[in-house]
Amino acid sequence: EPEVTQTPSHQVTQMGQEVILRCVPISNHLYFYWYRQILGQKVEFLVSFYNNEISEKSEIFDDQFSVERPDGSNFTLKIRSTKLEDSAMYFCASSATANTEAFFGQGTRLTVV
Amino acid sequence: KQEVTQIPAALSVPEGENLVLNCSFTDSAIYNLQWFRQDPGKGLTSLLLIQSSQREQTSGRLNASLDKSSGRSTLYIAASQPGDSATYLCAVRRGSNYKLTFGKGTLLTVNP
């Protein structure tokens, strides 16, 4: 069964460092998303991406964040200068269309120290 | 702003019991609603998607209903098993938006 794959599963970084979280969405999907979940809190939307551009972003997704689809298979989230409060589980998701079922990856646990 | 609430926050039942998880949302202008399962420290597994025009969806022992006008959805789990133990999340998509808005989830424990 097709699945969304995320790497790494766990990343520890020092405050102020740049991190890149990687995702391989389901191959025939056209819509891509990043969400995050701070420990004990709700899953929160960060950004959606379609047709090589951001289609929607939340207020969390400030200038420190960027997304890219560098080739036909990968979808990345970059955090330019990490803060302690960026520590969270980051989930990548994809869907075939804007209104169909979203499938999530297993997440990358980011710990900023 | 869409708010999604799930009640109860936690539920513990004996194996074999039928149970209902509740989800409510404040803005009824949704496009669809999706139920997920999350195991501890893991990702989200999609269980069911209900479009706003639908009243219910079924998958195996799971049945989800949607009452859009009252802003409610329920997830019915029949003949619960210990393997059903997980956190169940509901999420709604508003018509003009791409994002899913999530509830905090219901932590289900099914005791053997």
Side-chain angles (χ1 to χ4, degrees), chain A residues 31 33 35 37 40-43 45 48 55-56 89 91 95 98-107 109, chain B residues 3-4 31-32 34 36 38 41-44 46-49 51 89 93 95 97-100 102-104:
Chain A
Y31 292 78
Y33 315 87
Y35 290 78
Q37 185 178 34
Q41 297 188 22
K42 293 183 179 183
V43 177
F45 169 79
S48 62
S55 46
E56 187 179 358
M89 182 77 97
F91 293 110
S95 61
N99 305 313
T100 50
E101 197 171 2
F103 293 89
F104 282 67
Q106 290 298 298
R109 179 163 297 285
Chain B
E3 295 286 343
V4 179
Y31 200 92
N32 56 41
Q34 198 166 350
F36 295 88
Q38 184 176 30
K42 302 291 186 184
L44 281 64
S46 178
L47 298 173
L48 289 163
L49 172 76
Q51 300 292 353
L89 303 173
R93 176 179 279 113
N97 293 356
Y98 295 91
K99 71 177 185 181
L100 288 168
F102 282 81
K104 203 168 181 188

Side-chain angles (χ1 to χ4, degrees), chain A residues 16-28:
Chain A
Q17 294 296 304
E18 175 183 286
V19 294
I20 297 176
L21 309 183
R22 302 180 191 279
C23 169
V24 179
I26 293 173
S27 62
N28 61 345

Side-chain angles (χ1 to χ4, degrees), chain A residues 37-43 91, chain B residues 5-12 19 21-23 34-48 62 75 77 81-91 102-110:
Chain A
Q37 185 178 34
I38 295 171
L39 192 63
Q41 297 188 22
K42 293 183 179 183
V43 177
F91 293 110
Chain B
T5 304
Q6 292 187 245
I7 294 173
L11 180 64
S12 181
L19 58 101
L21 307 180
N22 297 290
C23 171
Q34 198 166 350
W35 281 93
F36 295 88
R37 168 192 172 128
Q38 184 176 30
D39 293 286
K42 302 291 186 184
L44 281 64
T45 301
S46 178
L47 298 173
L48 289 163
L62 305 179
L75 180 68
I77 303 177
Q81 302 169 358
D84 295 330
S85 298
T87 296
Y88 289 80
L89 303 173
C90 85
F102 282 81
K104 203 168 181 188
T106 294
L107 175 62
L108 173 65
T109 303
V110 181

Side-chain angles (χ1 to χ4, degrees), chain B residues 50-70:
Chain B
I50 312 181
Q51 300 292 353
S52 61
S53 57
Q54 297 176 312
R55 297 285 293 185
E56 63 179 61
Q57 277 282 8
T58 298
S59 175
R61 293 184 294 110
L62 305 179
N63 176 277
S65 69
L66 174 64
D67 184 343
K68 195 176 126 174
S69 60
S70 68

Side-chain angles (χ1 to χ4, degrees), chain A residues 15-17 62 64-65 79 81-87 112:
Chain A
M15 193 168 51
Q17 294 296 304
D62 61 21
Q64 293 298 312
F65 291 88
I79 309 175
S81 176
T82 50
K83 308 182 186 76
L84 294 176
E85 55 265 37
D86 293 327
S87 295
V112 183

